Amino acid sequence: MSRQASLAITLAKQEESESISGLLTLEQEEWKAYTGLLTKANMVRHIAFKLFGGKWNPQIDCAISGERVTSTIYAYPATPTLPYRVLASYGELSEGRVQTPVLTETVHFRLETEQGLRYPAHSLVSANWLTAYDAEGNQIPAPGITIKARSVGTAFPVYGSLQIKYRTFRTAHTLSMEARDDALEHFWSAYILGLPLGGEPVLLKFDPPPTAEELTAMAAECGGRIGLSLEWEEQDPANRVTPGKKEEVWDYCGGNFLREN
Amino acid sequence: MAIIDSELHLYLGAVSENPSANGGRMTTTRVVSGVVNNALPNIGYAERTEGGRVRRKAFFKVANDADLTALSPRIWLDKPTAGGEYVFFYPATQRNVEADLTGSERKYGAAYLASNANAGSSTLVVTLENAALAGIFQDGDTIRITDKVNAGSATGNEEFRTIDGAPVVDGLTVTITLESALSNSYATSSGSRVSTVHEPASVACAVDNWVETLGGTYDETTYPVLGDNIGTIEQTWTLTFTSTTAFTVSGDTVGVVGTGNVSTDFAPTNSAYGKPFFTLRAAGWAGTQAIGNTLVYQTHPAAVPLFVDRVTPAGTGEIASSIASLVMFCESAG
């Protein structure tokens, strides 16, 4: 069964008088599954190596790159035209790569007229009220909404849930740092600083990979290396006589050798 | 498990003969090391006499079953060829073919030391196989210096350094200044050589070019399509709803790979490897779909594409056989 209803939507500009905070949001990409995973078996091996000596086998699981740890930092400006800089207190931070992902978020109203969005919305893809009730508890048609960069509002208090799909703007920066030396010496204390023009600085503490401390202590190098040989020959021409080699000419019709050198 | 040596495989591109279409996407044809004609054809009399050039697309694939990302990958050519022909490589894209090459691609190769280099020295002098290889050494490049007998040797020295400043080219001689001094000494009599190192981005499966024409939604941010280091291929997938809940999925080169529904994770099997092409998660679906709704996206394999280029100058002398060894090194977290 399909249902159709009209929904009034207004996209409003961020007002200049709005707070100078919140102009920029920084976020670190979550570590992928298995990052930093340390098996009990390898922990036992590591302890054994510590106690009895021996060489750590690099071909077993460990958690951080032998040399570097990399992570992606996302910067979400309130507007795509906002000038800003992103700096790292430690490690190397790449230039920002512009991305415009479409995000889906469900916003819950509890008889309020405004709710925040997780990221700045720069264009709306879709909006759909899952439920909507007024202050008296009566189910109501989809209320109109107004979207500002970081919030969505209604004209009157609503109790309900709004599923909203919007396109945001962000830059992705790769933060790369030495795992064994730099990060260790600084005890994973790196932070990322966002400086929006005319706004308040934003600080994000770098979240090291899971079990980073144990793994750094192991200082194990993980990885693979393979050398593959592409091989060819330099063949003799079919119509060339190698000196001193017998040449035979076969008569296909007569079935005899015509000449032998 | 961490990525290990045996999980780094080399595969050929889809086309190896037709010059204009030569290259293309990664196939399931794996290059077996050390086998004659495993990637490059023999060099015949005519090619040695008149000269010739052969390119082959190759992909270093990270076939790790835990789908780990290959970090800090490095790829280099171990040494110059033994014959008069010379080999180098350049980065490619997952789909490009020989006709797409412009000639301005960045070349990576190897050259023998022209004079001994002592520990503590910050200067290297190498001899190029051919003047056309002058561009393989550039300011800021990572280079590998070694006196190991071959790519797989356990003994011998090896170190990586960075080129500081534009190398000075004089004919076939190139003088290279290093950012930091050598830790070991390298003698020309030991076959010491220098390779430029290609350092691509981390290697992992990827999904992009997401286009929804749906009645409902799919939340690819919270529930991204998952790749599989072994099974994922370069492909444009089109998912088409055949009812409000069921769909078929077709790839632009592999055709229909199965049918699914919004209540179950969809992970069609790549029969070449017994692993999924991808996993589309049921949790990502929301809203009501209609017959004919589509979802299009591309998957990219965990592989580094390259073009290997062999040039045989006119008048090249004859030798029995020759090799070019490509080496990939990477690290992993996990």
Side-chain angles (χ1 to χ4, degrees):
Chain A
M1 186 177 74
S2 65
R3 219 174 29 167
Q4 264 196 323
S6 62
L7 173 61
I9 298 168
T10 306
L11 278 167
K13 282 186 178 177
Q14 173 120 351
E15 292 167 24
E16 290 184 6
S17 60
E18 283 191 22
S19 75
I20 57 172
S21 64
L23 286 182
L24 188 68
T25 304
L26 295 179
E27 186 180 76
Q28 181 182 345
E29 185 182 44
E30 287 183 11
W31 292 103
K32 291 184 172 59
Y34 298 108
T35 305
L37 195 69
L38 176 63
T39 64
K40 286 178 182 173
N42 275 339
M43 189 176 286
V44 169
R45 279 197 199 105
H46 173 58
I47 294 167
F49 286 135
K50 285 275 186 188
L51 288 174
F52 305 114
K55 190 174 185 300
W56 182 259
N57 178 2
Q59 294 185 356
I60 51 179
D61 62 309
C62 61
I64 55 176
S65 145
E67 291 179 3
R68 303 191 79 78
V69 163
T70 56
S71 181
T72 303
I73 306 295
Y74 295 113
Y76 296 84
T79 65
T81 55
L82 175 74
Y84 61 92
R85 293 178 65 199
V86 182
L87 308 166
S89 69
Y90 212 78
E92 297 160 20
L93 197 66
S94 73
E95 291 292 315
R97 303 180 300 280
V98 171
Q99 298 177 340
T100 55
V102 174
L103 309 176
T104 303
E105 194 172 333
T106 301
V107 181
H108 303 287
F109 286 78
R110 298 287 181 267
L111 291 179
E112 294 130 336
T113 57
E114 186 169 298
Q115 279 294 333
L117 291 172
R118 194 171 169 193
Y119 303 100
H122 297 306
S123 64
L124 184 71
V125 176
S126 65
N128 179 38
W129 282 99
L130 304 176
T131 55
Y133 298 90
D134 63 15
E136 280 72 46
N138 302 311
Q139 189 161 14
I140 55 173
I145 58 174
T146 301
I147 296 165
K148 283 193 272 188
R150 294 294 299 267
S151 67
V152 55
T154 55
F156 52 88
V158 175
Y159 189 97
S161 299
L162 174 69
Q163 189 179 64
I164 182 168
K165 195 168 184 177
Y166 59 94
R167 191 174 293 281
T168 189
F169 176 95
R170 72 186 181 191
T171 51
H173 307 256
T174 302
L175 178 63
S176 172
M177 61 176 64
E178 294 289 338
R180 291 204 190 93
D181 303 326
D182 304 350
L184 258 184
E185 287 170 13
H186 293 77
F187 300 100
W188 301 106
S189 62
Y191 59 86
I192 299 95
L193 178 66
L195 297 169
L197 184 68
E200 289 179 354
V202 186
L203 210 56
L204 176 71
K205 172 80 173 65
F206 175 72
D207 178 27
T211 64
E213 289 175 14
E214 297 136 20
L215 293 158
T216 319
M218 283 164 58
E221 182 174 314
C222 284
R225 172 172 172 152
I226 193 79
L228 291 158
S229 292
L230 314 183
E231 193 161 333
W232 63 91
E233 292 178 340
E234 306 197 351
Q235 64 202 25
D236 289 331
N239 60 351
R240 187 165 61 106
V241 180
T242 306
K245 190 175 176 182
K246 183 191 284 185
E247 184 186 53
E248 298 169 338
V249 180
W250 180 256
D251 173 11
Y252 284 97
C253 299
N256 298 307
F257 286 110
L258 296 178
R259 185 179 74 241
E260 291 187 24
N261 293 328
Chain B
M1 286 289 287
I3 295 168
I4 59 176
D5 300 355
S6 60
E7 293 170 338
L8 301 177
H9 302 164
L10 192 68
Y11 287 89
L12 291 177
V15 178
S16 293
E17 298 299 335
N18 183 331
S20 61
N22 183 21
R25 304 183 204 188
M26 183 169 66
T27 62
T28 55
T29 306
R30 190 173 158 191
V31 174
V32 179
S33 184
V35 175
V36 175
N37 302 140
N38 52 4
L40 291 159
N42 288 344
I43 302 176
Y45 175 72
E47 190 174 355
R48 289 201 307 279
T49 306
E50 299 162 18
R53 186 173 193 173
V54 176
R55 298 180 179 93
R56 287 290 179 269
K57 188 101 173 265
F59 299 77
F60 266 117
K61 177 176 174 179
V62 181
N64 175 270
D65 207 11
D67 302 326
L68 294 179
T69 296
L71 302 168
S72 308
R74 288 175 165 176
I75 296 170
W76 66 86
L77 190 68
D78 178 56
K79 63 174 73 168
T81 61
E85 70 277 14
Y86 57 93
V87 171
F88 53 97
F89 71 90
Y90 26 86
T93 66
Q94 294 290 349
R95 300 191 183 200
N96 73 339
V97 295
E98 187 170 331
D100 297 325
L101 301 175
T102 63
S104 61
E105 287 77 18
R106 170 62 212 274
K107 297 173 187 169
Y108 294 84
Y112 284 110
L113 277 185
S115 57
N116 295 343
N118 295 322
S121 170
S122 296
T123 302
L124 296 171
V125 182
V126 299
T127 304
L128 300 170
E129 283 188 283
N130 190 287
L133 292 173
I136 64 173
F137 296 105
Q138 297 184 13
D139 184 14
D141 278 357
T142 297
I143 56 174
R144 175 233 192 193
I145 308 105
T146 190
D147 57 7
K148 292 186 173 190
V149 173
N150 56 47
S153 296
T155 57
N157 290 314
E158 175 188 69
E159 53 194 286
F160 292 87
R161 289 291 181 272
T162 304
I163 296 178
D164 182 19
V168 178
V169 181
D170 180 10
L172 294 178
T173 303
V174 182
T175 303
I176 298 165
T177 304
L178 306 177
E179 276 189 3
S180 56
L182 293 171
S183 300
N184 305 286
S185 293
Y186 297 91
T188 56
S189 58
S190 306
S192 298
R193 55 205 182 271
V194 182
S195 307
T196 39
V197 179
H198 172 39
E199 297 178 290
S202 297
V203 187
C205 295
V207 178
D208 59 16
N209 290 297
W210 188 270
V211 180
E212 288 182 18
T213 311
L214 299 171
T217 58
Y218 186 94
D219 182 358
E220 73 275 21
T221 303
T222 311
Y223 304 100
V225 172
L226 302 176
D228 183 284
N229 277 21
I230 298 173
T232 295
I233 61 172
E234 177 68 20
Q235 197 76 182
T236 301
W237 301 100
T238 301
L239 180 153
T240 306
F241 274 89
T242 54
S243 73
T244 54
T245 56
F247 53 77
T248 64
V249 175
S250 175
D252 66 323
T253 66
V254 297
V256 175
V257 292
T259 58
N261 61 71
V262 296
S263 304
T264 311
D265 287 353
F266 180 65
T269 300
N270 181 342
S271 58
Y273 304 106
K275 296 289 179 180
F277 284 115
F278 58 82
T279 301
L280 183 72
R281 291 184 278 177
W285 294 109
T288 304
Q289 316 299 342
I291 293 173
N293 282 173
T294 60
L295 172 60
V296 178
Y297 53 90
Q298 288 182 2
T299 56
H300 308 290
V304 182
L306 308 167
F307 260 109
V308 179
D309 201 331
R310 184 187 68 193
V311 177
T312 307
T316 293
E318 183 181 341
I319 63 165
S321 66
S322 194
I323 63 167
S325 291
L326 281 171
V327 184
M328 179 177 183
F329 167 78
C330 70
E331 298 185 79
S332 59

